[in-house]
Amino acid sequence: MKKLIYTILAVSTIFTSCTKDDEKDDEVEKASIVGVWSAKSMEMEMSVKMDMGILGSSEEDTSYTVLPGDDEWELDGDIEFTADGKMIEGVDTSSYNYSGNVLIVVDEEASADTFQCFVTTTTLEMIMEEKEEELFDGGSYSYSYKATINADRK
């Protein structure tokens, strides 16, 4: 009898856990980028490597978090994504396309930025990465940059 009770408890726990996971998956699938978002932080990661051949090499890595009010904060107010494909940040308006966790923002000068983007009903995470490598006579240079904007829905 005890085995039957433990089995029933174990099975009900498994089904309860699956239901919560399914609800979370549904929340992510139903989440829309459309709305007004308040940026809370920007996480920055940078790496520079330089090899000068016989003169030696150097490498520098840094990471830090920027918060609203910090001198390095680059956003001008909230970020709004409209249903008609406009992104508004402060006085700047750009167009955007969001599909499959990829956000492409095109500004007024037709310059495009691509973000890896994760949206739930309450949070937005936009990640931009850039890498550059250059070979020159006797050496090399590489640079990588990653910026993550974290925001909450208003």
Side-chain angles (χ1 to χ4, degrees):
M1 184 65 150
K2 285 183 181 179
K3 286 184 181 179
L4 178 61
I5 291 173
Y6 289 135
T7 303
I8 292 171
L9 286 173
V11 169
S12 65
T13 302
I14 291 170
F15 284 117
T16 302
S17 297
C18 291
T19 302
K20 289 179 183 176
D21 290 343
D22 292 343
E23 288 171 3
K24 186 177 179 182
D25 289 343
D26 289 344
E27 179 183 333
V28 171
E29 287 178 16
K30 293 178 185 175
S32 170
I33 196 169
V34 173
V36 179
W37 300 89
S38 177
K40 300 296 180 193
S41 68
M42 290 190 295
E43 299 168 18
M44 315 298 268
E45 298 175 27
M46 291 176 268
S47 176
V48 177
K49 297 176 185 174
M50 185 170 264
D51 181 3
M52 301 294 290
I54 61 171
L55 298 175
S57 62
S58 68
E59 182 175 336
E60 186 173 332
D61 297 313
T62 187
S63 62
Y64 58 95
T65 301
V66 181
L67 302 172
D70 290 347
D71 291 339
E72 296 89 3
W73 188 255
E74 297 178 7
L75 298 175
D76 185 25
D78 294 329
I79 303 168
E80 180 179 1
F81 293 95
T82 65
D84 64 348
K86 301 289 183 213
M87 183 185 109
I88 304 163
E89 187 244 322
V91 298
D92 297 324
T93 300
S94 303
S95 61
Y96 78 91
N97 183 352
Y98 176 63
S99 176
N101 292 339
V102 175
L103 172 66
I104 300 172
V105 178
V106 180
D107 67 17
E108 294 168 341
E109 288 126 22
S111 176
D113 290 319
T114 301
F115 298 85
Q116 189 176 15
C117 189
F118 302 97
V119 180
T120 70
T121 56
T122 58
T123 62
L124 169 68
E125 180 181 62
M126 298 168 47
I127 303 168
M128 176 190 282
E129 294 186 79
E130 294 181 13
K131 293 182 180 184
E132 180 182 324
E133 294 185 25
E134 186 176 325
L135 297 174
F136 53 88
D137 191 26
S140 64
Y141 165 83
S142 65
Y143 167 82
S144 64
Y145 170 85
K146 178 179 177 181
T148 304
I149 299 171
N150 299 296
D152 293 334
R153 188 181 297 275
K154 283 188 111 177

